[in-house]
Amino acid sequence: GAVVSQHPSRVICKSGTSVKIECRSLDFQATTMFWYRQFPKKSLMLMATSNEGSKATYEQGVEKDKFLINHASLTLSTLTVTSAHPEDSSFYICSGELAGGPGPNEQFFGPGTRLTVL
Amino acid sequence: KQEVTQIPAALSVPEGENLVLNCSFTDSAIYNLQWFRQDPGKGLTSLLLIQSSQREQTSGRLNASLDKSSGRSTLYIAASQPGDSATYLCAVTDSWGKLQFGAGTQVVVTP
């Protein structure tokens, strides 16, 4: 199957700093990538949808100025958590949509990034 | 708004027993339904994907059924093994490609 990587896998930062998380599709081109957030023992919540070359679409309640998403190429999307605070600590997972026929296509998920803000 | 529910939240069975995991969703206008496995601190591994026009999918010891009209899917895992211990998530895809996940069922298979 298609492979998606994330970097870093774990990051610990001080409150007030910004953290960038990379999501790469290694063996396919992903015109659409998705960013999810998962709290302990909770479901994944979609944060935003990013399309290559255009602005991301954020879900209701997600602060776009806090979570900056850039999808500059067909294989790379980045999520920057700006001025991180302890409440931003979470597990962030990205996925890439494998382009194919009409309609939604299968998403392939990265291994996740554990963010801890002290 | 689509809501996805998984019951039970946790399940413990002895090795060799069959596992039955349930997923229900409130809006039947789905594009497909997927079952995933998640190990602690890890990402998602896709297990089975059922298109809305399909009734079931099988892969090895895994079988997933879909009853779109009643908003239900069931994942069966035959002859469970300790290596099957993980959290299992179901997710429905809408026509825009967005996935809505359930909270998962945490499975423990004891030797």
Side-chain angles (χ1 to χ4, degrees):
Chain A
V3 180
V4 175
S5 70
Q6 280 184 243
H7 179 79
S9 58
R10 305 179 73 92
V11 56
I12 301 173
C13 69
K14 292 183 179 181
S15 186
T17 60
S18 294
V19 175
K20 180 185 285 188
I21 302 170
E22 291 185 349
C23 176
R24 292 182 185 273
S25 55
L26 299 184
D27 53 1
F28 69 101
Q29 292 185 331
T31 54
T32 303
M33 287 184 165
F34 300 85
W35 286 94
Y36 298 84
R37 180 174 180 176
Q38 187 177 33
F39 293 99
K41 298 190 183 299
K42 297 289 186 182
S43 181
L44 276 75
M45 301 298 295
L46 178 65
M47 298 174 65
T49 304
S50 84
N51 291 292
E52 185 263 337
S54 62
K55 289 184 178 181
T57 302
Y58 291 81
E59 295 299 301
Q60 192 172 9
V62 177
E63 300 175 61
K64 60 181 180 181
D65 295 330
K66 156 74 75 177
F67 300 100
L68 300 179
I69 292 172
N70 183 275
H71 192 162
S73 77
L74 290 173
T75 59
L76 173 65
S77 177
T78 60
L79 168 68
T80 301
V81 183
T82 62
S83 186
H85 291 281
E87 58 265 29
D88 298 324
S89 299
S90 194
F91 193 56
Y92 293 88
I93 303 178
C94 72
S95 71
E97 184 179 15
L98 181 63
N105 297 290
E106 188 171 358
Q107 294 180 30
F108 293 88
F109 286 80
T113 297
R114 171 73 60 191
L115 170 63
T116 303
V117 185
L118 303 176
Chain B
K1 181 187 173 188
Q2 178 75 270
E3 291 186 8
V4 182
T5 304
Q6 290 187 247
I7 294 174
L11 184 60
S12 181
V13 299
E15 182 177 4
E17 271 200 15
N18 297 331
L19 287 163
V20 180
L21 309 179
N22 297 298
C23 173
S24 63
F25 47 95
T26 54
D27 186 350
S28 61
I30 63 169
Y31 193 79
N32 61 43
L33 182 145
Q34 277 187 269
W35 283 94
F36 295 89
R37 169 185 172 137
Q38 185 176 32
D39 292 291
K42 304 293 185 182
L44 305 181
T45 299
S46 179
L47 299 174
L48 291 167
L49 184 152
I50 312 175
Q51 300 292 350
S52 62
S53 58
Q54 297 176 320
R55 299 283 293 182
E56 68 175 345
Q57 278 285 351
T58 298
S59 176
R61 293 185 294 114
L62 276 60
N63 174 276
S65 66
L66 173 63
D67 184 344
K68 202 173 77 162
S69 61
S70 67
R72 295 179 188 173
S73 177
T74 302
L75 176 67
Y76 301 91
I77 303 177
S80 62
Q81 303 168 358
D84 294 329
S85 298
T87 296
Y88 292 83
L89 299 166
C90 77
V92 296
T93 304
D94 66 18
S95 57
W96 297 98
K98 294 184 180 179
L99 269 67
Q100 183 76 33
F101 284 85
T105 294
Q106 187 174 5
V107 171
V108 174
V109 181
T110 55

